[in-house]
Amino acid sequence: MWLGPEEVLLAGALWVTERANPFFLLQRRRGHGKGGGLTGLLVGTLDVVLDSSARVAPYRILHQTQDSQVYWAVACGSSRKEITKHWEWLENNLLQTLSIFDNEEDITTFVKGKIHGIIAEENKNEQPQSEEDPGKFKEAELKMRKQFGMPEVEKLVNYYSCSYWKGRVPRQGWLYLTVNHLCFYSFLLGKEVTLVIQWVDVTQLEKNATLLFPECIKVSTRDSELYFSMFLNINETFKLMEQLANIAMRQLLDNESFLQDKSLPKPRKPLKNISALKRDLDARAKNECYRATFRLPKDECLDGHTDCTLWTPFNKMHIPGQMFVSNNYICFASKAEEACHLIIPLREVTIVEKADSSSVLPSPLSISTKSKMTFFFANLKDRDFLVQRISDFLQRTPSKKPCSSDREWKWNLADPGCEEVPELPSSSPLAVSPTSALSSRPVNFCAGEVPTASQGLLKLFRRNSEELLGPKGAKEKMKEESWNIHFFEYGRGMCMYRTAKTRELVQKGIPENLRGELWLLFSGAWNEMVTHPGYYADLVEKSMGKYNLATEEIERDLHRSMPEHPAFQNELGIAALRRVLTAYAFRNPTIGYCQAMNIVTSVLLLYCNEEEAFWLLVALCERMLPDYYNTRVVGALVDQGIFEELTREYLPQLSEKMQDLGVISTISLSWFLTLFLSVMPFESAVVIVDCFFYEGIKFILQVSLAILDANMEKLLQCCDEGEAMTILGRYLDNVVNRQSVSPPIPHLHALLTSGDDPPLEIDIFELIKTSYEKFSNLKADDIEQMRFKQRLKVIQSLEDTAKKSVVRAVSSDIGFSIEELEELYVVFKAKYLMSCYWGNNRAAAARRDQSLPYLEQYRIDMEQFKELFISLTPWSCGAHTPVLAGRLFRLLDENRDSLINFKEFVTGMSGMYHGDLTEKLKVLYKLHLPPALNPEETESALEATSYFTEDVTTEETQEDKGRRNENGPEKEEKGTSPQDYKYYLRMWAKEKESKKETIKDLPKMSQEQFIELCKTLYNMFSEDPVEQELYHAIATVASLLLRIGEVGKKFSNRPVRKSEDCKANNTQDPVSEEESPTSEQSQNSAVEQQPQADHEDKTCDDAQPEKTQQENQTLGDGSGEGQGSPLQLLSDDETKDDMSMSSYSMVSTGSLQCEDIADDTVLVGCEGSSSAARYGSTIDTDWSISFEQILASMLTETALVNYFEKKVNILQKIKDQKKVERQFSSSSDYELSSVSG
């Protein structure tokens, strides 16, 4: 590449001049290439350690003038070819011009100008976004690609100097972190280390310091542990590694591959050596932290933050902290934890003004809201810029009228009965048919036309309880009064000051009248609801009357949701629950519906109206409990891992016992998934939910630890899991809420409390208080860190389970061992994942459906299959291998969706590796018949594939074939509706049936197909150690078979054929007699063909109509890859191959010697009268040969039998494939060897 001319003082240091003229020198880096000696080793080591660009570009061109001591570097190159091209351009275009100049300074100025011009011209064609990355970083990315053979789509995020510990010896080198890989390269005195690890293979990342290693990062995979140390900034490196591993885990979990954010604001100052990708990832990390701290919607992006102070009127102080500004919010967090948090939505802001500065209050800023609150910030460093940013965001904020407001909330509180909706009579259309209200017209929630009730179901179904008038009622009124005072001092609604006082009030329990309002505020669901008016109503309308797997499951669980509560003992509550769950399933089809969602949603509906319950469910599933409610409950398993870790830390005595009993995995899922609602009395569990919405998962973990701590003595004496579960069940059943004003609801687990002693009741508020006293030092940031660590472990564990499940499912039908299947699965999955992140489009990711069975989740297309086939097949056919791979793919792709799953893949591989000569030849034979042979086959001819089964190693009966034809439409379902589980059940049931296919069931092979088979065999033997013997053997067999075909044709052409349909049957129908054509038999082949022909005639009458139609179609299409003319015999790709045949030669049996078989020879016939030359005649369509005849002929040749009976170790092939997978650039003269762990 051309370089902007750079000054070089010592041209000879570490460089050797190879070519020179009066104005230019072409130099090679000393030690580069062969015979570098000690100098080469030293220079190579220096280049790696100092990260010299000479490692990538070992050639350069310098400009010089005779009298000057200064040289100018004008070009560099990674290979001799590249640098020679530049050299020749300079000689051809500049030398003559330069010789005219008299002044040397003019020469240098001219050369520099010319080079700058060339660079400017080249840069015109470059993509503009590449300019974002600094020059030094681009150079590092080039080194990474060259060193590790990565394609251009693999983006480098950052690179670090560090040491890799190989044994006890540190190897200094460079660690490259790309989006999908961790790579390391070191070259020290001739010793080279190259490591490439995919992030999806990482099972653990740890930062630790031991006696053996200094502060280091440990990267664990399934088969190795790698240690890296001596980082300049280990914390930054580790944080980035965590982020990249997390992105990879997301890809495994839900196919979310990494997409760079192109909308990042450009830095005000140029950042040295920081890539745009690194900035993107840093911004993502800050955004996630910001959203989690203030419970903001998932699409909110932080614009910036600054130190400041906030005036808090409730304690008359200026609290130091940080102000955060994003597209739709201004937030404040105090430096002292819990001193004060504040969220100001820009939709609420009316005035932003700069106040006058003073020595006491420098750079003040006041922000006023619609609710008549004013916030004073001071000590702002860049106030003018901040005000400008806020003004910009305010201009973009849509002025939508929210559905409700704080004023309405206050009104509801003042007169709780004013909006009460009377219970609907059973004749009401809503009570009878929940869909009727929505089917007539769209629902407008803002106008109050809600499907059921405008408030929580609890108000509609509250019994006239005496509790409201007694001491409990008085206590409830006092709670409400406390909150009213709090609202007066700290504000109400979204802009409320959130302090330690707020938390204290939440711990004491939220009054029932305020519960819905405060849940919406603390969870952040209120923000999403007011910014999406009408969204829920539209979803309900769209989802009504639609049915899928999620709606079926919802219907099944509706009546199991709090059946003991009166609100869900009638159609009104059930209909509301149905609508909310169905609407969410349509909003988020990746989750759809998961058990436990019904229990949580039913409680939300008691305190909120439908729309509010819906948005609370969104906040729970998508932000507060991420990945909890998916098919594999990954989030709950992650938090279960955290719970185990915390138990080890806080309750070490109990931890080991719990692990032995296996209790934690049982309890944590039921506790966490339903937020204790399914294991505690309702009145108590709802107080847990209050604290959860304020504190998040931290509180659930805290209470869980407190429960274990309270039962420690009893649990330590348990003998088994059942006893431990009973103890915990009894304890939770007796957690009571003595302050509840609602009548007690019978708890389903009450049976566990039976016993002689009266149960000891535990007050829920005491339990909460204890949990804060003992375990309040849990930090949200620490939990997020632990979540990352556990997520790696859980997802990799699930992937291992999936692998075992798939391997177990296919192992019974396949010849491979369990170990071989596991290795093949790893290779197959890696190929699929590579297409996800290196493919040009996202189609590969889109075709993975998590709801499908494990076996169907990873599927590859033809290009990926070809790559795997070429590296793993025992039948290497040189340039013909991709053609064979394409045929096998078409044979395996039975449902014609251009994708094959793992079972189909190993079925194809097993056919080549296992079984005897007959089975292997059967596979080879099928590869030269439709559908494998003809890629252009139209859909109407697909019926001809009834002969060819997906499972080439198992066998099927004629009855099975009939059944498969009947089930034709079901195959189409797989392509159009992959979620049809019934189809898969039928498919699996069918697979379990015994299948038997005899060699007589195989159709006959036409002359054109036989020619293709011969061509494949010649290519297959070309690299074999005994290729001459094999050539001789196949020539003999081919000649013999051609003669048999000719003799057979004479008998099949007798006038006794009954119809054209019968003729089709003759050429395709199997023969009944097994033949062993030796040389003697071939002489008497006429006698042997007689009964065959008679048999064929008899079978004409009984031929199935479908079969006849199929066979006619096959003949009509030329029964091969071309149609009719021999010019089309070979595809365009094949004719270009080195092994392609340029002509057909006619060879007689007697004259055929092994040296006659050249690469350009194909046998067509043995008799001149019927043979077809490639040009001038058509293929003989009446000629045919059966599989039995081919098999019998092959058995006569020992060389062929030995070749097909030869055992090949597929594990060695897989090992070789992994080595070859990283193709290093051929321009590098260093020998790069891949070193693993």
Side-chain angles (χ1 to χ4, degrees):
M1 58 187 271
W2 297 104
L3 301 173
E6 298 169 1
E7 204 173 284
V8 176
L9 292 174
L10 296 168
L14 306 180
W15 292 86
V16 178
T17 302
E18 293 200 333
R19 294 167 82 168
N21 61 39
F23 303 105
F24 298 101
L25 298 174
L26 189 155
Q27 296 187 322
R28 172 177 57 81
R29 186 71 165 174
R30 198 178 288 277
H32 181 82
K34 293 177 183 175
L38 182 61
T39 314
L41 293 178
L42 289 169
V43 173
T45 302
L46 272 174
D47 285 346
V48 170
V49 174
L50 301 177
D51 196 29
S52 164
S53 57
R55 184 155 63 87
V56 175
Y59 297 94
R60 71 179 182 184
I61 296 175
L62 301 181
H63 164 64
Q64 62 155 8
T65 50
Q66 288 178 351
D67 298 331
S68 172
Q69 296 299 313
V70 178
Y71 295 82
W72 297 88
V74 293
C76 67
S78 58
S79 64
R80 193 180 295 277
K81 184 179 175 184
E82 184 186 354
I83 205 72
T84 306
K85 186 179 168 189
H86 288 336
W87 178 263
E88 286 170 355
W89 188 91
L90 289 170
E91 283 191 328
N92 296 336
N93 294 281
L94 288 191
L95 276 188
Q96 267 189 319
T97 313
L98 294 178
S99 58
I100 300 167
F101 287 92
D102 297 328
N103 187 339
E104 290 190 348
E105 283 184 14
D106 291 347
I107 292 175
T108 302
T109 307
F110 179 78
V111 169
K112 285 160 79 175
K114 197 72 179 168
I115 299 297
H116 280 303
I118 294 170
I119 293 169
E121 192 62 35
E122 284 179 350
N123 285 348
K124 273 185 188 174
N125 304 324
E126 282 190 13
Q127 293 180 337
Q129 64 259 31
S130 65
E131 296 302 317
E132 289 180 7
D133 293 338
K136 183 74 176 164
F137 185 84
K138 285 183 187 171
E139 197 179 284
E141 190 164 45
L142 192 67
K143 287 176 195 167
M144 178 274 294
R145 294 223 178 93
K146 179 183 168 60
Q147 205 68 61
F148 304 104
M150 297 288 179
E152 284 208 17
V153 287
E154 182 68 357
K155 299 291 183 190
L156 179 64
V157 180
N158 214 352
Y159 62 105
Y160 301 93
S161 171
C162 69
S163 289
Y164 160 63
W165 291 80
K166 188 165 167 50
R168 295 191 177 189
V169 182
R171 299 291 182 86
Q172 185 65 28
W174 290 87
L175 183 71
Y176 297 90
L177 304 181
T178 74
V179 172
N180 301 298
H181 296 84
L182 176 152
C183 308
F184 177 82
Y185 179 72
S186 166
F187 179 87
L188 286 176
L189 301 177
K191 296 286 184 185
E192 198 168 36
V193 178
T194 306
L195 293 172
V196 179
I197 295 161
Q198 291 188 58
W199 289 117
V200 287
D201 292 334
V202 173
T203 55
Q204 197 175 5
L205 269 182
E206 281 184 301
K207 184 178 67 176
N208 52 26
T210 61
L211 288 172
L212 181 60
F213 303 113
E215 193 174 28
C216 67
I217 294 173
K218 176 186 169 188
V219 181
S220 305
T221 63
R222 285 178 179 81
D223 33 64
S224 63
E225 289 183 352
L226 312 172
Y227 292 87
F228 300 94
S229 65
M230 299 186 197
F231 290 93
L232 288 173
N233 188 341
I234 193 167
N235 292 328
E236 182 199 323
T237 312
F238 185 69
K239 194 175 173 186
L240 181 57
M241 288 167 89
E242 277 191 333
Q243 268 187 290
L244 292 167
N246 221 354
I247 289 168
M249 290 308 107
R250 286 243 69 90
Q251 191 181 352
L252 284 178
L253 180 61
D254 52 19
N255 257 14
E256 258 185 40
S257 46
F258 179 78
L259 288 172
Q260 188 180 349
D261 184 4
K262 302 287 185 189
S263 61
L264 278 179
K266 292 203 171 181
R268 284 195 270 177
K269 297 176 192 170
L271 300 167
K272 193 179 177 185
N273 293 349
I274 295 183
S275 68
L277 262 178
K278 175 75 167 67
R279 284 177 53 230
D280 181 3
L281 286 168
D282 289 345
R284 283 174 191 232
K286 285 178 182 173
N287 286 336
E288 282 170 17
C289 183
Y290 169 62
R291 289 193 293 260
T293 306
F294 299 104
R295 304 272 168 80
L296 299 176
K298 286 178 85 175
D299 55 356
E300 197 61 25
C301 293
L302 179 65
D303 188 68
H305 57 90
T306 181
D307 290 339
C308 66
T309 58
L310 170 67
W311 170 252
T312 49
F314 51 86
N315 60 2
K316 310 290 188 289
M317 285 175 67
H318 289 282
I319 297 181
Q322 278 194 320
M323 177 198 275
F324 300 85
V325 179
S326 60
N327 310 14
N328 302 296
Y329 299 88
I330 298 168
C331 301
F332 175 86
S334 58
K335 287 190 176 170
E337 197 182 358
E338 291 195 351
C340 183
H341 268 212
L342 180 66
I343 302 165
I344 308 170
L346 291 181
R347 63 177 182 270
E348 295 286 326
V349 173
T350 52
I351 302 167
V352 178
E353 58 183 346
K354 294 183 272 190
D356 295 332
S357 287
S358 67
S359 56
V360 181
L361 210 63
S363 305
L365 178 70
S366 79
I367 298 174
S368 303
T369 66
K370 293 173 185 174
S371 54
K372 304 292 184 286
M373 290 180 78
T374 304
F375 304 95
F376 289 100
F377 296 93
N379 293 291
L380 291 159
K381 287 178 186 172
D382 199 346
R383 185 175 63 165
D384 294 341
F385 177 73
L386 180 68
V387 170
Q388 184 57 50
R389 291 303 289 163
I390 294 172
S391 301
D392 292 345
F393 287 135
L394 278 170
Q395 284 174 1
R396 296 180 214 160
T397 306
S399 54
K400 288 180 184 171
K401 185 183 176 185
C403 301
S404 180
S405 69
D406 296 348
R407 194 180 303 123
E408 286 177 48
W409 274 340
K410 290 176 186 175
W411 177 58
N412 289 347
L413 180 65
D415 184 6
C418 65
E419 272 198 340
E420 200 155 309
V421 178
E423 185 167 338
L424 294 171
S426 59
S427 60
S428 159
L430 276 177
V432 177
S433 170
T435 60
S436 56
L438 288 170
S439 57
S440 56
R441 59 176 190 253
V443 183
N444 183 348
F445 283 92
C446 296
E449 294 178 23
V450 274
T452 52
S454 60
Q455 39 189 292
L457 294 172
L458 204 62
K459 290 182 181 177
L460 299 178
F461 292 94
R462 180 179 285 159
R463 299 167 189 166
N464 295 326
S465 173
E466 295 174 9
E467 305 287 356
L468 290 170
L469 306 171
K472 287 186 180 178
K475 183 85 174 171
E476 186 79 356
K477 287 287 180 191
M478 283 171 63
K479 275 189 193 176
E480 285 185 17
E481 195 54 41
S482 300
W483 277 97
N484 281 331
I485 294 166
H486 186 77
F487 291 148
F488 180 75
E489 289 183 15
Y490 295 83
R492 185 169 188 176
M494 209 69 226
C495 302
M496 173 170 62
Y497 293 99
R498 298 162 197 228
T499 65
K501 181 79 166 60
T502 317
R503 195 184 74 177
E504 283 172 27
L505 281 174
V506 171
Q507 284 173 33
K508 290 174 184 173
I510 298 174
E512 287 195 353
N513 287 331
L514 293 174
R515 199 160 256 149
E517 172 189 335
L518 292 174
W519 283 0
L520 285 164
L521 282 185
F522 296 147
S523 66
W526 177 252
N527 285 321
E528 292 189 273
M529 189 171 83
V530 296
T531 52
H532 295 85
Y535 177 84
Y536 173 67
D538 292 342
L539 263 184
V540 170
E541 196 175 2
K542 285 176 191 169
S543 62
M544 276 300 158
K546 303 276 176 66
Y547 294 98
N548 56 24
L549 189 67
T551 55
E552 281 181 30
E553 290 179 344
I554 288 167
E555 285 300 323
R556 196 174 59 232
D557 284 355
L558 282 176
H559 294 277
R560 303 177 190 170
S561 312
M562 294 190 70
E564 64 275 16
H565 198 286
F568 297 99
Q569 290 168 356
N570 66 82
E571 191 56 37
L572 184 69
I574 294 292
L577 183 59
R578 178 187 291 116
R579 279 189 290 273
V580 173
L581 291 173
T582 308
Y584 186 77
F586 274 79
R587 169 191 164 85
N588 191 341
T590 55
I591 289 178
Y593 170 77
C594 174
Q595 281 190 335
M597 282 169 76
N598 59 323
I599 295 169
V600 175
T601 309
S602 57
V603 174
L604 300 178
L605 279 167
L606 290 176
Y607 297 99
C608 310
N609 67 37
E610 274 186 43
E611 187 178 19
E612 291 166 351
F614 170 79
W615 286 111
L616 275 169
L617 185 63
V618 168
L620 267 176
C621 296
E622 295 173 17
R623 287 188 287 110
M624 299 189 74
L625 296 175
D627 305 321
Y628 261 60
Y629 301 104
N630 58 26
T631 47
R632 299 193 274 183
V633 292
V634 172
L637 292 172
V638 167
D639 287 346
Q640 174 187 305
I642 295 173
F643 184 42
E644 287 180 21
E645 211 173 314
L646 292 172
T647 309
R648 276 195 296 276
E649 187 180 336
Y650 289 100
L651 307 169
Q653 291 172 284
L654 191 58
S655 171
E656 201 174 323
K657 181 75 175 177
M658 297 295 274
Q659 288 294 334
D660 293 342
L661 295 175
V663 172
I664 287 187
S665 57
T666 313
I667 59 172
S668 53
L669 282 180
S670 59
W671 293 3
F672 297 168
L673 273 171
T674 63
L675 303 174
F676 288 95
L677 288 164
S678 62
V679 292
M680 256 187 205
F682 170 73
E683 304 81 22
S684 306
V686 84
V687 181
I688 299 268
V689 178
D690 290 343
C691 297
F692 166 74
F693 277 123
Y694 189 78
E695 295 269 22
I697 193 64
K698 164 183 175 291
F699 177 75
I700 300 292
L701 292 166
Q702 203 172 281
V703 169
S704 302
L705 286 170
I707 293 167
L708 289 188
D709 186 49
N711 292 281
M712 191 189 290
E713 288 181 15
K714 290 180 183 176
L715 289 170
L716 286 170
Q717 292 167 9
C718 288
C719 302
D720 56 35
E721 183 188 358
E723 193 180 344
M725 292 299 293
T726 306
I727 287 166
L728 290 169
R730 279 182 184 164
Y731 179 87
L732 290 168
D733 274 333
N734 291 294
V735 176
V736 296
N737 179 0
R738 297 190 180 95
Q739 299 174 15
S740 174
V741 292
S742 297
I745 295 165
H747 188 48
L748 295 178
H749 295 270
L751 295 172
L752 290 168
T753 59
S754 59
D756 299 332
D757 302 325
L760 182 68
E761 290 188 342
I762 303 98
D763 187 72
I764 182 66
F765 299 104
E766 283 299 317
L767 178 62
I768 289 171
K769 186 181 170 187
T770 307
S771 78
Y772 274 102
E773 285 170 357
K774 291 191 174 182
F775 308 107
S776 62
N777 55 349
L778 282 178
K779 297 283 181 292
D781 292 347
D782 296 340
I783 289 170
E784 279 308 311
Q785 186 66 32
M786 290 161 84
R787 266 182 170 171
F788 162 74
K789 184 179 167 187
Q790 292 297 332
R791 195 177 291 120
L792 274 183
K793 199 183 287 182
V794 167
I795 292 177
Q796 294 293 17
S797 167
L798 287 170
E799 287 296 309
D800 289 343
T801 305
K803 178 171 75 175
K804 285 174 185 165
S805 169
V806 170
V807 165
R808 196 166 52 244
V810 302
S811 59
S812 56
D813 304 329
I814 306 295
F816 291 117
S817 68
I818 296 291
E819 185 191 0
E820 289 170 337
L821 283 171
E822 286 185 350
E823 286 297 321
L824 280 168
Y825 181 81
V826 169
V827 171
F828 183 85
K829 180 177 144 189
K831 185 60 68 180
Y832 165 82
L833 289 173
M834 209 175 283
S835 72
C836 288
Y837 51 71
W838 283 353
N840 294 330
N841 54 38
R842 300 281 162 193
R847 67 178 178 244
R848 184 184 174 206
D849 185 348
Q850 292 280 359
S851 63
L852 289 178
Y854 287 135
L855 188 59
E856 289 288 328
Q857 283 190 15
Y858 296 117
R859 295 185 293 167
I860 58 173
D861 59 24
M862 186 182 282
E863 287 311 307
Q864 295 163 294
F865 177 77
K866 279 183 181 177
E867 291 169 26
L868 283 175
F869 181 89
I870 290 165
S871 58
L872 297 177
T873 181
W875 297 343
S876 179
C877 300
H880 190 65
T881 311
V883 178
L884 204 62
R887 289 176 189 165
L888 182 58
F889 183 88
R890 288 190 290 275
L891 184 67
L892 296 173
D893 180 25
E894 195 184 35
N895 65 347
R896 299 287 169 269
D897 63 353
S898 301
L899 296 169
I900 61 168
N901 64 24
F902 179 67
K903 179 166 186 181
E904 291 163 337
F905 169 71
V906 289
T907 297
M909 286 288 126
S910 182
M912 295 183 286
Y913 274 94
H914 296 286
D916 55 15
L917 171 75
T918 308
E919 291 300 324
K920 289 177 181 175
L921 276 180
K922 200 190 287 183
V923 174
L924 200 58
Y925 186 81
K926 286 179 181 181
L927 291 182
H928 296 82
L929 293 170
L933 193 66
N934 186 4
E936 307 299 330
E937 194 173 27
T938 56
E939 284 188 16
S940 60
L942 288 181
E943 294 152 18
T945 63
S946 60
Y947 287 115
F948 311 106
T949 71
E950 163 193 306
D951 188 347
V952 290
T953 55
T954 54
E955 311 191 322
E956 61 179 0
T957 60
Q958 292 285 353
E959 291 143 0
D960 286 337
K961 281 189 208 159
R963 275 200 288 277
R964 187 193 319 216
N965 285 337
E966 289 163 17
N967 291 336
E970 288 160 18
K971 285 180 195 165
E972 291 171 21
E973 283 179 40
K974 184 180 171 187
T976 55
S977 175
Q979 293 184 348
D980 185 2
Y981 284 81
K982 291 175 185 173
Y983 163 76
Y984 289 105
L985 289 170
R986 283 197 295 270
M987 190 176 78
W988 291 332
K990 211 187 299 177
E991 282 174 2
K992 296 296 175 193
E993 294 173 13
S994 60
K995 297 175 182 179
K996 292 196 175 174
E997 175 192 67
T998 65
I999 54 177
K1000 294 179 183 180
D1001 293 331
L1002 292 169
K1004 284 190 167 189
M1005 185 176 269
S1006 70
Q1007 191 174 63
E1008 189 180 13
Q1009 292 159 356
F1010 180 68
I1011 290 166
E1012 285 295 329
L1013 176 62
C1014 289
K1015 179 181 171 184
T1016 300
L1017 288 167
Y1018 286 134
N1019 282 309
M1020 197 185 287
F1021 302 149
S1022 64
E1023 295 168 17
D1024 199 271
V1026 290
E1027 63 178 311
Q1028 291 303 317
E1029 287 178 46
L1030 288 166
Y1031 279 153
H1032 184 78
I1034 196 61
T1036 307
V1037 168
S1039 301
L1040 184 58
L1041 287 167
L1042 285 164
R1043 180 171 288 187
I1044 290 170
E1046 288 298 323
V1047 174
K1049 185 180 74 170
K1050 289 175 184 174
F1051 285 89
S1052 62
N1053 282 341
R1054 289 183 313 157
V1056 291
R1057 290 175 304 172
K1058 295 180 182 172
S1059 67
E1060 200 61 28
D1061 292 342
C1062 211
K1063 174 185 171 184
N1065 259 342
N1066 285 344
T1067 49
Q1068 291 286 329
D1069 216 44
V1071 290
S1072 63
E1073 308 248 347
E1074 172 145 344
E1075 302 186 74
S1076 300
T1078 57
S1079 54
E1080 296 157 313
Q1081 285 171 320
S1082 61
Q1083 289 166 11
N1084 300 316
S1085 55
V1087 182
E1088 290 179 323
Q1089 293 293 333
Q1090 179 74 41
Q1092 180 189 334
D1094 292 342
H1095 172 73
E1096 285 167 355
D1097 289 343
K1098 283 176 195 169
T1099 56
C1100 289
D1101 297 324
D1102 305 321
Q1104 296 174 10
E1106 308 97 87
K1107 191 167 171 184
T1108 309
Q1109 187 185 344
Q1110 292 159 7
E1111 290 162 356
N1112 275 334
Q1113 180 70 51
T1114 307
L1115 280 181
D1117 287 346
S1119 305
E1121 289 196 346
Q1123 292 189 5
S1125 169
L1127 288 171
Q1128 295 170 317
L1129 175 64
L1130 305 178
S1131 68
D1132 292 343
D1133 291 334
E1134 290 169 30
T1135 52
K1136 293 173 192 167
D1137 291 344
D1138 295 337
M1139 297 297 176
S1140 295
M1141 317 313 169
S1142 58
S1143 66
Y1144 293 117
S1145 301
M1146 295 169 286
V1147 188
S1148 68
T1149 316
S1151 64
L1152 196 59
Q1153 300 298 328
C1154 115
E1155 53 268 17
D1156 294 328
I1157 308 296
D1159 284 348
D1160 60 348
T1161 307
V1162 167
L1163 294 163
V1164 173
C1166 303
E1167 298 180 24
S1169 59
S1170 59
S1171 299
R1174 185 171 187 182
Y1175 304 105
S1177 175
T1178 58
I1179 293 294
D1180 192 340
T1181 52
D1182 291 329
W1183 188 97
S1184 67
I1185 200 84
S1186 71
F1187 175 73
E1188 293 165 295
Q1189 291 166 334
I1190 291 175
L1191 174 63
S1193 304
M1194 288 270 198
L1195 287 169
T1196 62
E1197 294 293 336
T1198 313
L1200 293 175
V1201 173
N1202 290 343
Y1203 179 86
F1204 284 103
E1205 294 281 3
K1206 184 170 60 183
K1207 298 288 180 193
V1208 182
N1209 183 2
I1210 195 164
L1211 290 176
Q1212 188 58 45
K1213 285 263 185 189
I1214 292 170
K1215 203 174 174 184
D1216 296 341
Q1217 189 254 0
K1218 284 178 181 175
K1219 282 182 187 171
V1220 174
E1221 209 158 58
R1222 299 270 168 267
Q1223 290 293 342
F1224 296 106
S1225 178
S1226 58
S1227 60
S1228 169
D1229 291 337
Y1230 290 131
E1231 283 249 323
L1232 301 179
S1233 57
S1234 179
V1235 180
S1236 61

